Structure formats: structure tokens, C-alpha cells
Amino acid sequence: MEKKMTTMIAAVAVVAVVLVAGAFVILNNDDDGTKNAAIASQLQIRGNANDDYTIDGKDLDIVNDVIAGTKTLAEYPLADVNNDGDVNDADVSLLKDLIDRKDGTTVYVVCLDRNGDSTTVQVTYPLRNVVPYGTNMQLPTLYANGGQYVAGYFVSSYDTAEASISSTARNLEGSQRSISDAAWSNFTALDAALDADPSISGGLGAILVDYSGIAQITEKRMGDLNAAGIPMICYESADATAEITTVLTLGFLFGGECETMGVKYAQTAWNLIKEINDKLKDVKDEDKTSYICCTMYIYICGASSSFNTSATTAGGVAYASLNSDFNSTYTKNSTKMTSVEALSKFTDVDVIINNRSMDWGLTAEEIKDLVIDTWDHDNSGKSSTEYFAKFLDKLVYIDNLLPGAVKLAYMAHAMYGDTFSREWADGVLQDYIDMGTLPLNGQTLGTVLAYIDLSTYNDAVKA
């Protein structure tokens, strides 16, 4: 079966979909009166003409109106279902197949290219035999319950969180931050093996990439993908809001119960964001909580880091926007502290949010040990408490493996504890446990270390 090649997005649609990695949403009540959040331009599929979270008859009405001239393509760019720059009967035919969720249908997916620009790639519905690269893409794949469709992975570092990866998936032997030539060779060999299997229609269905790791998809490797007809679906999925988009879109592409999960996952998230916005709407800019984000214990995140954009979505204001010295010093995505005095000039920040990936499925004793190890972590002979000595009452750690909305909830609690209680944030985590997303299957609030602050640390030491 011929695989589809990547094609550039029609210029008319760029303005409407370039916000795929941001938090651009319209929050409405659904037609049935429920208070679910309609997601604007978040299901990144051409044919989603009305920019909500699904493809249905409402989209067909818009496509027909564009053909009739009562609506325009400029107003509804995703009405160009087949990405040919025009809207006609061919779009109607393809859209009907999408509405019917017809197997074998070509789906035109809006995503990012190697340069971070909007593009459209073609995949076959339902999407199968994918290879995700990077934890920030692998977990959204699994949150959509798509682990069963993973044919290979470059690395799996979290035994419990990533346990739903198919047992038949091939370990391609990469790493968290690089794809070696040998690992890439394993990837292309996997595609060839699947392509030669008569029980499988074609080779790999797609490679799924978080944009933070796009440097590993070199121009030569992109040429390999194009030559083999393997589409690349890329999003800035490390950002909490873009992660929601990623889960929703992958859920649709996998189909069936994955689509149902993607919708529940996204609607719960956007309802949470609406709640945060509503409760903070009267907080003046000058009264908002300032934050510095860190990762890997002692790496300070620059203004453009996805950790910073997530904390802004949670209602905070980036310290980089308030202190020009800090902003000019920390310009990279993350910068390692050169000394324990690195933050000494910036003690007026309100909160330091340290993002730490921590697997779950833990006993009470394991959680206690992990709290202490995280807080006291040895960084080449110096404890993290030395680096954050002046900030210990402002420092929190949040588990970076959690669903995007859950991370936002704990960030909101860290910055506005009087408005968003710890119990409230725990309740958001419980909502995601209860909804049935497989990475959290069997977990409880007692087996997931989601949040650490000074009080949590002191309790662990005393235990």
C-alpha cells in the first residue's frame, strides 16, 4: 500500500492553525447545555471546519456553505479537507468518509515541520504502527490509549507510566536526548520489516515527534522519511496546552475508544483552564505571582521554555518578563547553574517550580525516599538545597510525567494556594485516574508523587 508524502499547508490556513502549540481556545457550552469546553483549532485535522473537538455533520454543513458561497474558505480554512487550496465535491466526499470513520481514509493532519512552521501531512485512518520519539510525545500517545499501536520506541525510561506500550513493540535503542545512527538504522529496518509483512498494510504509519527533540530529525533523516513515505507528526507537546492538543488529535487518528479518550482528556483539561482563568480574572497583572521554572534539578529554564509557557497558562507571570537581568542571563531553553549563588540576585521571585519526571506505582516508603532524594539531590557533590537555600519556602517540584492539565493544577496551587488548594489539585489528578487513561491505570493518590514542597519534605524526614 502506497504511503503518503508530506505536503505543505495551504497559505490560507496558516493564520488559523499556527496557534496549534498555544492556548488559543474558545470556551462555550455544548449544544446539550453541558459545560464542556469546545476546543478551537485544537483537533488538528482538516475537515474539522468548525474548529471544535470532533468531525461531524456540523463540519459538512460548513463545507457545503463554502461551496455555495455563503461562507468563505478564509473564514473556515479547515474546510479544505484535502489540502488542495479549493473546496469542492472532492472535499465533501472525503469529509463524509471521515464522518463515517471509514477505514483506509486519507486524513490530512495539521502539525509542525522541521522549522516549526505549520504543515499538513497525510496519514491513513485509523493510524497504526507508530514510533514516538521523546517522553513528551510518548506519554501523550499513551494517554490517548494508543500504546497498543506503538510498533517501536527509541527509549522507555518509566516502567509504570509507559507500561501500556505494546509488548510487541521493538526497542530501537536510542536515548532520551538523541537518536544515534544505529538507532535510526533500527528504525528504518523496522519500517522495511513491516512493509514486507503481508499481514500489514504498508510499513510504519508515522513517526511522532515532540518539537523539543526536532534536532534529531536531521535533513538527511527527513529525506529518509520522505523516501520511505513515513509521515512525521510533530507538535510542541512538552507545553501543557499543546500536550492536550496532541492527545486529542492522536486519539482521533487511532480511532475507536482512543478517540473517546482523547475527547474526555481534552475537555477535562479545557474545563480546568477555564476554571483557572475564571478564578484569576480579577487579579491585576501587577498582583500576579511571579515564577522561575527549573528542570533536571539545577537547570534554569529560559523564557521560551515549555515549562514557562505552561506556568503562564496556570496563571503566573514569568520572572523573565519582570527582570531584564534574569531574562538576558537565561536565554536558552535550559541553562545549568554554574554555582550555588546563581539565583542570589533574584530572591524577589515568588515561586520556583522545578519540573521533575518521577515514575509512579510507589509504596509509601518509596515515596518518602523519593521526596528526600529529590529535595536533597546530589549535584556533583553539592545538594540541591545549597542551590535553593534562599528559596526553600518558595520551591516546589511537580512531576513532569503527569497529564498536562494535572501539571497546570499543581502549578496553580503552587502560585495561588489560597485560591487553589492542594486538595483541589489532587482532585484533578483523581479525575484523570478515574477517566481510564492507561498510564494511570491502577494508580491512586497514594502511589503517585505528584508534588513536593518544603512541608512535604519535612514530613518525609520526620516519618
Side-chain angles (χ1 to χ4, degrees):
M1 180 177 177
E2 181 182 0
K3 286 177 278 185
K4 305 300 182 182
M5 305 299 287
T6 300
T7 55
M8 293 302 292
I9 191 169
V12 69
V14 170
V15 173
V17 298
V18 75
L19 295 171
V20 8
F24 178 73
V25 294
I26 298 173
L27 297 163
N28 300 321
N29 287 348
D30 283 351
D31 292 346
D32 62 1
T34 61
K35 292 186 177 180
N36 281 329
I39 304 166
S41 292
Q42 292 303 309
L43 177 61
Q44 298 298 303
I45 305 295
R46 288 189 168 276
N48 179 29
N50 65 348
D51 290 344
D52 66 0
Y53 57 87
T54 191
I55 292 180
D56 55 21
K58 296 175 185 177
D59 301 299
L60 184 59
D61 291 341
I62 291 173
V63 170
N64 283 325
D65 286 344
V66 172
I67 292 173
T70 57
K71 288 182 170 63
T72 68
L73 181 56
E75 294 174 294
Y76 298 94
L78 295 181
D80 180 10
V81 187
N82 62 6
N83 193 39
D84 66 355
D86 194 12
V87 180
N88 51 37
D89 288 345
D91 296 285
V92 171
S93 177
L94 179 55
L95 183 53
K96 287 180 177 178
D97 287 342
L98 286 175
I99 292 171
D100 291 340
R101 308 301 194 260
K102 181 179 176 181
D103 284 5
T105 298
T106 298
V107 183
Y108 293 79
V109 184
V110 178
C111 55
L112 302 176
D113 65 12
R114 286 183 64 248
N115 299 316
D117 297 323
S118 292
T119 190
T120 293
V121 300
Q122 300 176 37
V123 303
T124 300
Y125 179 90
L127 182 60
R128 297 291 185 264
N129 295 323
V130 300
V131 173
Y133 172 60
T135 301
N136 291 321
M137 178 57 80
Q138 197 146 286
L139 273 169
T141 303
L142 304 184
Y143 279 132
N145 289 355
Q148 59 195 309
Y149 305 125
V150 173
Y153 55 91
F154 288 102
V155 63
S156 179
S157 302
Y158 306 99
D159 291 342
T160 301
E162 296 177 328
S164 60
I165 293 175
S166 171
S167 60
T168 62
R170 181 178 175 185
N171 183 350
L172 304 175
E173 301 178 356
S175 74
Q176 285 286 4
R177 293 180 176 82
S178 68
I179 300 175
S180 66
D181 288 342
W184 188 256
S185 178
N186 290 337
F187 169 80
T188 57
L190 174 61
D191 177 60
L194 292 174
D195 212 18
D197 188 335
S199 67
I200 298 174
S201 299
L204 292 171
I207 183 172
L208 313 177
V209 180
D210 168 47
Y211 193 72
S212 66
I214 198 64
Q216 299 304 309
I217 310 300
T218 62
E219 186 173 350
K220 180 182 182 303
R221 289 174 177 176
M222 196 70 221
D224 292 341
L225 294 176
N226 289 335
I230 305 171
M232 179 181 74
I233 298 177
C234 179
Y235 294 117
E236 287 187 324
S237 47
D239 173 81
T241 50
E243 183 251 25
I244 299 161
T245 297
T246 304
V247 175
L248 178 69
T249 303
L250 291 178
F252 178 90
L253 293 173
F254 294 137
E257 63 92 14
C258 293
E259 180 180 356
T260 302
M261 177 55 62
V263 171
K264 286 195 296 185
Y265 190 100
Q267 288 184 325
T268 301
W270 290 120
N271 287 335
L272 171 86
I273 292 173
K274 182 179 186 300
E275 182 178 359
I276 292 173
N277 290 338
D278 285 348
K279 289 185 176 179
L280 298 179
K281 65 182 179 182
D282 295 328
V283 179
K284 297 178 181 178
D285 288 347
E286 59 267 26
D287 295 327
K288 287 185 175 180
T289 298
S290 63
Y291 65 83
I292 291 172
C293 280
C294 297
T295 185
M296 295 181 291
Y297 300 106
I298 58 169
Y299 282 74
I300 299 174
C301 300
S304 62
S305 165
S306 59
F307 293 125
N308 275 324
T309 56
S310 296
T312 297
T313 302
V317 57
Y319 188 72
S321 68
L322 305 175
N323 188 304
S324 59
D325 186 17
F326 178 89
N327 187 47
S328 61
T329 301
Y330 298 104
T331 57
K332 298 179 181 179
N333 198 43
S334 63
T335 303
K336 187 177 182 179
M337 295 190 207
T338 56
S339 72
V340 297
E341 297 297 321
L343 290 175
S344 60
K345 295 187 295 182
F346 311 119
T347 55
D348 57 331
V349 69
D350 295 319
V351 175
I352 293 183
I353 300 172
N354 213 320
N355 299 273
R356 163 102 164 90
S357 295
M358 299 178 285
D359 203 0
W360 42 76
L362 305 174
T363 65
E365 188 66 22
E366 288 170 335
I367 284 183
K368 184 192 80 169
D369 291 344
L370 185 54
V371 168
I372 295 172
D373 177 72
T374 298
W375 200 262
D376 293 339
H377 184 74
D378 186 295
N379 302 280
S380 301
K382 289 187 172 63
S383 168
S384 289
T385 58
E386 293 186 59
Y387 287 91
F388 298 108
K390 298 178 181 179
F391 304 89
L392 293 181
D393 59 341
K394 300 178 178 183
L395 175 65
V396 301
Y397 287 84
I398 295 175
D399 188 353
N400 189 47
L401 300 184
L402 293 169
V406 180
K407 289 186 283 189
L408 292 176
Y410 284 110
M411 286 180 177
H413 166 63
M415 294 185 289
Y416 301 97
D418 292 339
T419 302
F420 304 103
S421 69
R422 173 65 186 272
E423 292 73 21
W424 171 84
D426 286 343
V428 176
L429 172 55
Q430 188 65 57
D431 287 342
Y432 276 86
I433 292 173
D434 292 343
M435 76 170 54
T437 181
L438 288 178
L440 288 167
N441 182 45
Q443 301 308 309
T444 69
L445 295 178
T447 63
V448 178
L449 180 55
Y451 184 89
I452 306 171
D453 59 10
L454 183 58
S455 175
T456 311
Y457 171 74
N458 287 334
D459 289 345
V461 171
K462 294 175 185 176

